[in-house]
Amino acid sequence: IGLPVAKIAARVMAGESLASFKLKNKKLNHVAVKEAVFPFNRFPGVDVLLGPEMRSTGEVMGLDATFDMAYAKAQLGAGMRIPRTGTIFVSVKDQDKPKILAPIRNLVSLGFKIVATGGTQRYFVEKNVPSTKINKVREGRPNVVDALKDGEIQPVLNTTETTTSQSDSKPIRQTALLQKVPYYTTLAGILAVAKAIVAQREGKLDVRALQDYF
């Protein structure tokens, strides 16, 4: 926002009044997205699902005129390379299926292929979304982990509901991490990355100095 927030906070803690800084709301022409960076790759076998006890080792920021491109920049800064083409793996819990339908349709219209586990793929068939069924790990081979290892899947979009589904999808998340495949395990993350993919396809990712935004 163009203000030294930490400096102001320190001075307020030292006794100065907040009113003395004469702060006013500004109309900003940009969006900033912060992304936490977790050291999952340093701990073999760890699950990438976030829990309340986890701590990030750092954070990055993406700045742009729109949220969609700012999110794409934040992902890039965190080491997640959002694909422009390829195959998307989708496996989401029932309550999330209607909410991802429109974004998935949009990605299909851009040329992306969709592979999905049984329940999700059946839902896509009902809604006339082109997709191919892929096996879960426990359903035999070839399965989604094999496809990840072979470089056949670019992003992983996976939300879980029960302890069993979390356990079933753990190998998928671990393999995605090892193969450096972007993965998203929340509905909010899936919706955001779908917008970021479209933004990358439609516009150029520009680089500007921080000072240029003010």
Side-chain angles (χ1 to χ4, degrees), residues 119-135:
T120 303
Q121 200 265 339
R122 283 194 299 274
Y123 179 81
F124 285 156
V125 169
E126 292 170 4
K127 301 300 180 180
N128 296 315
V129 176
S131 59
T132 303
K133 182 182 181 297
I134 191 168
N135 286 334

Side-chain angles (χ1 to χ4, degrees), residues 65-142:
T66 66
F67 167 81
D68 301 352
M69 191 60 83
Y71 186 83
K73 287 182 176 180
Q75 295 302 288
L76 186 61
M80 293 273 199
R81 300 193 68 86
I82 297 176
R84 293 175 182 269
T85 59
T87 300
I88 301 172
F89 168 76
V90 187
S91 180
V92 297
K93 55 190 177 184
D94 289 343
Q95 68 189 65
D96 290 343
K97 289 180 173 66
K99 297 170 185 174
I100 69 164
L101 193 57
I104 293 298
R105 282 191 200 278
N106 200 9
L107 294 174
V108 169
S109 72
L110 293 176
F112 283 90
K113 295 179 180 179
I114 305 297
V115 296
T117 51
T120 303
Q121 200 265 339
R122 283 194 299 274
Y123 179 81
F124 285 156
V125 169
E126 292 170 4
K127 301 300 180 180
N128 296 315
V129 176
S131 59
T132 303
K133 182 182 181 297
I134 191 168
N135 286 334
K136 298 178 181 179
V137 175
R138 60 182 170 81
E139 291 175 336
R141 306 183 75 169

Side-chain angles (χ1 to χ4, degrees), residues 17-34:
S17 71
L18 187 60
S20 68
F21 294 96
K22 299 179 181 179
L23 302 175
K24 294 180 180 179
N25 286 329
K26 288 186 185 178
K27 181 176 165 96
L28 302 176
N29 295 317
H30 64 271
V31 178
V33 174
K34 182 174 76 170

